[in-house]
Amino acid sequence: MANLRLWQCLTVLLLLTSIGLLIGVIILAVDKQENDKSSKANSYQQQQQQQQTSCTDDEKSVPEPPGDDKSNKVFSKLTAKEYGKVTTYLLAQVDLHLTETSKATLISNYIYTIESHLSKKSDILGYLDEGQAMPSREAMVTIYMGAENPPVVKEYIVKPVDNPTSHELYQSPIRSSSISWNTRYMDAVETSHIAPLIDDVTKRVDFILKESYNYTFHNCGNQCLMGVWPLPMAQSAGERRNWLAAFRKESPLTEGYHLHQMPFFIEFASSGNDPTKFKITKVIYNNKLFPDVDSLIQKYKNDNSFREKVPMPLGGSRYGSPERRNGGAFDPSSELPPPEQYQPNGRRFTVTGNKVTYLGWSFNIRVPRTSGVQVLNVKFHGKRIAYEVSAQDIAALYGGLPPTGIFMQFFDTSWQLGVQLFPLIKGVDCPRNAIYLDNLFYDSTSSTTVHRKDVVCVFELNTGTPLRRHFSSDFMGPDPTKYHFSFSMPDTVLVVRFMNTVINYDYVFDYIFHQNGVIDTKVSPTGYLFMSPLYNKDPWTNKYGTSINPRLLMQAPIHHHLFSFKFDIDVMGTRNRFETLDITPKSHDHPYVPGVKYTMNTFERKLKSTEMDALVQYDFNKPKYYVMYNNRKTHRNGYKHGYRIAAQGFSKLLLPEDSAPANATHWARNQVVITKYSDFEQTSASKFRQFDVHDPAESFKRFYDNNENIVDEDLVAWVSVGLQHIPSAEDVPVTTTPGKTLTVSIQPYNYFDEDPSFISRDGVVVRRNGNDLSAKVTSYFTKKKQCMTKNTKVDIQL
């Protein structure tokens, strides 16, 4: 019995031990499972962090180093070191007799600008395509030759820029003469002699300005006037006259100084290089013209009725301010920020040095000094579409009564568009995921270089519109819910954006690269209005402008924006033709109904043989296609490979051809001009145009006046667009872009066998899944990586 009890106790003990061991094993297993889960969770979190880090890397906003890419080398900008070497080399040349700009006077020879100058196109293409030696990189140097008799402006080609050994006078066959001294742009050397004359006048009329505007030029605290010049008004060729306009200066009391122009102007003459002959020639006060300041003072003292005060505008210090208004009923109900654009799977484009690649596209970005930003060596799937696409020139032609209204004609390349590029606001001007490019240019005042950051941005954009789509419905069948298939593809594009700010206006330029081979060039004006004196206070009978604030004796005048674009298109090579497809209605006898006629549109091909034959003045009664094609390359359907030029915004220059503004903007006389390529016809822009309107040394008309053959030649298309602007109250404080965007496109025209966007993975196809109503969706993406940027700040690099 005792043994039996012993065995029972041992059995119970063994059972309890087994249960304990089992519980321990379970606990260990559970712990292991939890540890595995924790390990997996930590691994997932690490993966997420790695993906987040990867996304952050993808969103670096600066280009990668250029490496050894050939196009990067030949299209590269001048470095600060190269600017210095060119300067040092030229100062050492005894034949030029140069003086350092900081020590120069009007009777000195000194450097005004240094800028990169491209070698001949044939040499660059030989290097890129045929393995020839890289052409030397060159600089174009503009020198003010005040020591010569008579004084003149000259330009020299200096090369090679990394170690200059030669300088050659630049002589262009399109120039009618040398560059006149009086057509040069104003610089600090000249204005140092004009400033004392202005200072003397403004001191003498200080009491008039104080009583009239409560603002003055001297001892003014927060209520100062500032002078803005030049506003050229040469009456004839060779004359140099300019106006200074008075504005209320930026201060806590006034912002947006462009809207605070006062009706006070000073005209000064500064022809030649003898500053002792510079003089004040006219003064305008409250829309009255005086031959000198003494006449104004005498009139003001003797005639109380002549005096007129200009108080602060309605709205006070808020008027013209960029700050948000408290709109009352107009306040948005939501305080949520706007949508953001992200790329959770990383960028699909790269910027290496100045070279951009994107889904079959490749090109180089270059920032000239005078004209707009260029994209060069533009290729699509390895084939060059264009050697150059670029904005060229900007003009704003204003209306108004004399005396001041007639000199408000602005030709913006005189201010040099490359210099008028300023830092973009990251996250606003461009998406946060953009890559930004800097600009480096020569400053004529200091003889040093200026490094301006973030002036061009590159980004991918979903436009929100399908590039292509179709819903193939069974609308003829008995069941209207049935369909065969549906497909769509978003129009996701690459954008190169830059913004020129020329005094008051900002011009937003976009070069847009679509996945179907189309390139759009767009421009949208915004910024502050320019003002002129208000002569007619009745808003319903004023024919020249809009009074935008009843307290100001100024108006926002009617004006015409004009823009010039260049398209050096190379269709399957550089030997191309240009034709129009003229669309006309034609009537026919109806074949089935006797006595009845029917009318339909037809088109006829017309080959253009010479430059004059190809001039286009757009006529709505005669619509056309404009096509550049290669007659030696035949499409599989029998057509010639081509590219079409299309525009939304053709605008007629209404001024007579013999008027000075029209003479200076001859590139706008025709909406399309086709010229044979010439290395001397690089740009329709000119930095001398603002002071050279009567007899320009560089006239665009000479590009086609020689009427060269354009059949099977290297062709360039020059396209102008524009818009008329009659300002309204909603243009204050700044005019907005909607409704003002102008576009010029080049589009493949029988260039491909079919739409090239069908090789893109961006498209989606939806088909019926058997006979039921469910859908089978086909998407072509395989690699997916999800992450979100942490960069949410708005930034600007000044």
Side-chain angles (χ1 to χ4, degrees), residues 28 43 163 202 205 276 303 341 485 501 613 664 690:
L28 288 173
S43 176
N163 187 25
T202 55
V205 299
T276 63
D303 186 354
Q341 175 177 309
F485 56 82
T501 302
D613 187 33
Q690 188 70 60

Side-chain angles (χ1 to χ4, degrees), residues 323-336:
E323 300 294 339
R324 178 182 178 270
R325 310 313 195 237
N326 293 318
F330 291 99
D331 258 359
S333 58
S334 173
E335 295 183 358
L336 295 176

Side-chain angles (χ1 to χ4, degrees), residues 482-709:
K482 289 185 177 181
Y483 65 97
H484 303 294
F485 56 82
S486 179
F487 66 87
S488 187
M489 174 180 166
D491 188 17
T492 306
V493 301
L494 189 76
V495 180
V496 176
R497 175 171 292 171
F498 59 98
M499 304 183 189
N500 288 112
T501 302
V502 188
I503 308 178
N504 58 307
Y505 259 112
D506 297 65
Y507 299 103
V508 183
F509 286 92
D510 286 344
Y511 302 157
I512 303 172
F513 298 83
H514 298 262
Q515 294 187 54
N516 64 341
V518 172
I519 303 174
D520 293 332
T521 58
K522 292 188 174 183
V523 59
S524 306
T526 180
Y528 282 94
L529 296 169
F530 202 87
M531 310 299 288
S532 70
L534 178 65
Y535 292 94
N536 185 346
K537 298 180 182 180
D538 182 354
W540 298 108
T541 60
N542 186 354
K543 299 178 181 180
Y544 293 99
T546 304
S547 173
I548 58 173
N549 193 299
R551 288 191 177 184
L552 294 174
L553 296 179
M554 306 297 291
Q555 66 180 1
I558 180 177
H559 53 284
H560 192 184
H561 292 287
L562 291 163
F563 305 90
S564 173
F565 289 91
K566 177 183 180 182
F567 300 90
D568 184 353
I569 301 171
D570 291 341
V571 180
M572 303 287 187
T574 57
R575 301 190 68 178
N576 293 165
R577 296 184 176 190
F578 176 71
E579 69 176 2
T580 60
L581 276 58
D582 296 12
I583 302 169
T584 56
K586 288 193 179 297
S587 295
H588 304 270
D589 292 328
H590 201 295
Y592 310 121
V593 184
V596 174
K597 288 184 176 291
Y598 68 96
T599 303
M600 61 176 57
N601 284 341
T602 64
F603 70 89
E604 180 180 359
R605 297 180 182 274
K606 291 188 177 180
L607 176 67
K608 305 300 180 181
S609 301
T610 65
E611 292 174 325
M612 296 288 281
D613 187 33
L615 297 177
V616 174
Q617 291 193 356
Y618 187 75
D619 184 349
F620 277 98
N621 295 314
K622 299 177 181 179
K624 306 174 190 290
Y625 267 33
Y626 309 102
V627 180
M628 206 172 285
Y629 68 96
N630 190 318
N631 195 53
R632 291 170 171 78
K633 304 292 183 179
T634 303
H635 190 272
R636 69 179 183 182
N637 296 336
Y639 296 107
K640 305 300 182 181
H641 293 273
Y643 252 76
R644 176 192 170 205
I645 302 162
Q648 298 176 16
F650 281 153
S651 186
K652 181 178 176 60
L653 181 60
L654 299 176
L655 301 178
E657 191 167 357
D658 60 353
S659 66
N663 195 33
T665 52
H666 219 290
W667 47 262
R669 178 60 56 187
N670 303 282
Q671 285 69 58
V672 180
V673 176
I674 305 296
T675 61
K676 179 182 175 181
Y677 178 87
S678 168
D679 288 308
F680 292 104
E681 297 173 0
Q682 288 294 310
T683 177
S684 61
S686 171
K687 55 180 167 284
F688 309 108
R689 181 137 312 139
Q690 188 70 60
F691 299 85
D692 194 21
V693 297
H694 294 282
D695 185 22
E698 297 178 332
S699 173
F700 181 73
K701 192 172 185 292
R702 298 189 187 98
F703 282 35
Y704 56 83
D705 255 357
N706 53 0
N707 201 26
E708 290 189 270
N709 170 65

